[in-house]
Amino acid sequence: MSLLQRLNEKNLSTALTQDGNPVTSKREIVRPKESELKLSLQSHLIAELKKNPNLSDDGQRELIEVESMKFLNDKNDRLTYEGKVELIRTVSNELIGYGPITSLLNDPEVSEIMVNGPFQIYIEKNGKLLLSDQYFRDDEHVLQVIEKIVSPLGRRIDESSPMVDARLPDGSRVNAIIPPLSLVGPAITIRKFPQNRLQIDDLIRFGSLSDEMAKFLEACVKARLNIFISGGTGSGKTSLLNVLSSFIPADERIVTIEDAAELQLLQDHIVSLETRPPNIEGKGAISIRDLVRNSLRMRPDRIVIGEVRSGEALDMLQAMNTGHDGSLATGHSNSPREMLSRLETMVLMAGMDLPIRAIREQMAGAIDLIIQQSRLKDGSRKVVNITEVIGMEGDTIVLQDLFSFRQTGTGENGKIIGKHVSAGIRPYCSEKLEQYGFELPADWFNGE
Ligand SMILES: Nc1ncnc2c1ncn2[C@@H]1O[C@H](COP(=O)(O)OP(=O)(O)OP(=O)(O)O)[C@@H](O)[C@H]1O
Ligand SMILES: [Mg+2]
């Protein structure tokens, strides 16, 4: 079996078609022939748009609609009215939108779009992976859309730089990778920018965490604990970071540091910093680490780091240990314990020759709480652990789970049934919380 076939098989195993049936075979790919009518309409519109070069997006859309209807009525084609509207929509998406993914971008229920070469576009809707009914004409068509996304940002994609990160004007995060690196043709992955980031009430309503856990976390943020959110790709780390940051009191100065600004905080006093990729000559990159260091000179009350993945871990731990408590960050890992060992590796990436024990002591001293976020098999996202970092015992960092998610069964359509339980241990941090006026009810920690 070729690598290409294997990749496709892998994609198929977990995906559903739009009707909710499992995808069992790669769709018969019949490259649709462009109709004469569509092509002539397209060139007519391109000519019209050239005559009016200064139109806004809305102006262009209006021109396209008016001109197309006129054009199609003149042609006296057998197309029905609905057919015409559909054709105009497609052509207009080609000309001023992002081709076949435009309608998916506009669909508020779609949260993620994954283009695996021209003929396969998967979407995520309500936590489920679905095969959409959209497709591109060919590789070239996908490349055109990638160009359209990246060129306004001064970035490029071609054989010499075949991967690129970018953002759409609405803030959606885009990654594109093309052949020869991608074997399925040009691939695009888009994480759509949520219209409204989830709020704590949404997370409670979805069963992502319990009411007590939410109140506990709110108290922990207000009492300036250093909190690390750990989770896999797309598990909901950024969403949870946004919720936790919203608990920061309004009179504190917040500096946020991200690769692509995704946080939506409502407080007034915020400075948002964003990294910068290198320019065409490979120079001028500003990393998360540079920004973390700079932020320390900005008199922050709180530092919020979108994702820690390299040497900045050292600067972050040092900041947390030297008076910048109440900091929040996320990292990529599958359990609190694994998060610690990944942080250890990241600190080593900073290039300082620190002994492992010293690194562990820094971590144990700096981090108070690790929250593990997971995307479960049924597509739901949950906090599966809230774990406290207690200290060191010999060479080992001691952790203590306060809350966890316990699965009790599986319901219809593979839905995971379970509940959040407390470990029955009074938190080590309760003293600190009490100093800030938070009395934790004893029954939160009575074991169930
Ligand atoms: N608790 C939740 N319940 C349901 N959906 C959620 C929840 N948290 C996040 N989501 C949705 O899951 C998607 C991924 O969320 P988010 O961007 O927060 O994940 P992430 O872990 O930061 O991803 P990445 O690793 O790509 O940065 C978004 O569409 C978001 O709206
Ligand atoms: Mg994220």
Side-chain angles (χ1 to χ4, degrees):
M1 194 189 282
S2 75
L3 180 57
L4 195 66
Q5 276 168 325
R6 281 211 304 273
L7 280 174
N8 284 333
E9 301 258 311
K10 204 169 148 223
N11 277 338
L12 294 176
S13 59
T14 55
L16 301 177
T17 64
Q18 291 262 290
D19 314 324
N21 301 315
V23 175
T24 49
S25 69
K26 191 168 158 79
R27 221 162 19 141
E28 279 293 284
I29 295 161
V30 188
R31 194 181 291 184
K33 211 167 157 300
E34 296 288 276
S35 74
E36 284 291 321
L37 186 64
K38 182 175 164 200
L39 291 177
S40 57
L41 172 61
Q42 218 158 1
S43 34
H44 172 72
L45 290 174
I46 289 171
E48 287 300 318
L49 287 170
K50 272 200 185 135
K51 280 191 227 158
N52 300 280
N54 297 324
L55 285 179
S56 65
D57 272 7
D58 283 344
Q60 290 189 356
R61 211 169 272 283
E62 203 180 315
L63 179 94
I64 288 176
E65 277 167 19
V66 174
E67 278 302 321
S68 309
M69 249 330 158
K70 252 202 281 179
F71 181 87
L72 292 177
N73 288 339
D74 287 350
K75 280 269 173 210
N76 214 358
D77 200 273
R78 282 192 318 238
L79 221 51
T80 60
Y81 178 75
E82 285 73 30
K84 284 179 189 159
V85 171
E86 180 59 26
L87 182 60
I88 295 172
R89 198 175 58 85
T90 313
V91 172
S92 146
N93 284 346
E94 291 296 333
L95 292 176
I96 53 177
Y98 299 103
I101 56 175
T102 315
S103 55
L104 304 174
L105 285 168
N106 293 337
D107 181 345
E109 283 193 357
V110 173
S111 52
E112 210 151 309
I113 303 169
M114 292 144 274
V115 176
N116 308 337
F119 308 121
Q120 203 182 50
I121 305 179
Y122 278 101
I123 51 177
E124 186 177 312
K125 233 178 185 177
N126 307 322
K128 282 256 182 284
L129 197 60
L130 304 169
L131 183 61
S132 84
D133 52 8
Q134 302 290 323
Y135 47 82
F136 288 84
R137 265 191 319 274
D138 48 23
D139 280 4
E140 188 52 37
H141 192 190
V142 189
L143 281 175
Q144 278 166 13
V145 169
I146 300 176
E147 291 276 341
K148 196 159 183 178
I149 294 172
V150 303
S151 59
L153 306 172
R155 304 207 187 140
R156 62 184 185 139
I157 189 149
D158 54 34
E159 237 172 78
S160 64
S161 62
M163 301 182 273
V164 66
D165 282 310
R167 263 199 298 158
L168 298 179
D170 74 353
S172 298
R173 220 172 64 186
V174 183
N175 173 272
I177 180 162
I178 62 172
L181 303 187
S182 162
L183 305 180
V184 295
I188 313 177
T189 315
I190 302 178
R191 160 74 44 78
K192 279 176 60 183
F193 195 76
Q195 300 286 322
N196 296 304
R197 277 241 170 248
L198 298 169
Q199 303 297 315
I200 189 68
D201 293 340
D202 300 316
L203 300 190
I204 296 171
R205 189 158 41 85
F206 297 162
S208 298
L209 41 52
S210 66
D211 210 22
E212 286 84 21
M213 288 160 81
K215 292 210 177 81
F216 175 68
L217 290 178
E218 178 172 356
C220 289
V221 172
K222 293 193 163 144
R224 308 189 66 90
L225 263 56
N226 287 317
I227 303 179
F228 210 92
I229 299 169
S230 151
T233 311
S235 58
K237 299 182 293 296
T238 304
S239 306
L240 184 61
L241 182 64
N242 199 63
V243 165
L244 295 189
S245 307
S246 73
F247 296 141
I248 297 175
D251 57 355
E252 297 190 25
R253 174 170 164 84
I254 309 172
V255 178
T256 67
I257 298 171
E258 294 172 274
D259 266 327
E262 290 182 280
L263 295 171
Q264 298 171 359
L265 300 182
L266 298 175
Q267 291 93 331
D268 243 0
H269 196 159
I270 296 184
V271 185
S272 311
L273 306 178
E274 202 180 61
T275 57
R276 187 173 74 186
N279 63 14
I280 292 178
E281 288 102 53
K283 297 201 181 102
I286 303 290
S287 67
I288 294 263
R289 184 166 195 201
D290 298 327
L291 295 179
V292 172
R293 287 177 165 183
N294 193 77
S295 72
L296 299 178
R297 296 194 285 273
M298 296 173 70
R299 199 210 159 273
D301 288 316
R302 306 274 191 154
I303 303 173
V304 179
I305 308 176
E307 190 171 333
V308 178
R309 54 170 94 82
S310 183
E312 62 270 15
L314 177 60
D315 304 80
M316 179 194 74
L317 293 176
Q318 281 172 346
M320 288 174 168
N321 271 327
T322 52
H324 292 98
D325 46 4
S327 297
L328 305 168
T330 84
H332 197 145
S333 149
N334 297 314
S335 72
R337 175 65 65 191
E338 187 189 318
M339 192 68 252
L340 291 177
S341 63
R342 300 207 55 165
L343 272 172
E344 206 170 285
T345 314
M346 292 182 211
V347 169
L348 291 172
M349 289 182 200
M352 307 257 290
D353 218 359
L354 292 173
I356 291 293
R357 192 180 159 86
I359 299 176
R360 291 191 185 156
E361 276 168 359
Q362 284 254 8
M363 292 198 289
I367 302 172
D368 298 303
L369 216 58
I370 302 179
I371 307 174
Q372 183 67 38
Q373 176 82 22
S374 272
R375 179 176 187 276
L376 304 186
K377 275 209 189 76
D378 62 354
S380 65
R381 273 102 175 168
K382 286 192 198 306
V383 171
V384 292
N385 287 116
I386 297 181
T387 303
E388 249 189 318
V389 181
I390 307 282
M392 297 278 288
E393 221 172 77
D395 276 345
T396 317
I397 298 176
V398 184
L399 297 179
Q400 152 174 304
D401 278 345
L402 296 178
F403 294 95
S404 5
F405 178 73
R406 188 184 296 157
Q407 181 174 354
T408 51
T410 320
E412 246 175 77
N413 299 328
K415 189 170 159 44
I416 288 175
I417 300 171
K419 59 177 179 172
H420 286 101
V421 293
S422 91
I425 300 168
R426 196 160 175 81
Y428 178 75
C429 64
S430 23
E431 226 170 90
K432 186 157 184 199
L433 298 187
E434 276 159 23
Q435 285 168 13
Y436 278 83
F438 296 103
E439 292 284 342
L440 301 177
D443 62 351
W444 284 7
F445 301 100
N446 62 5
E448 274 306 306

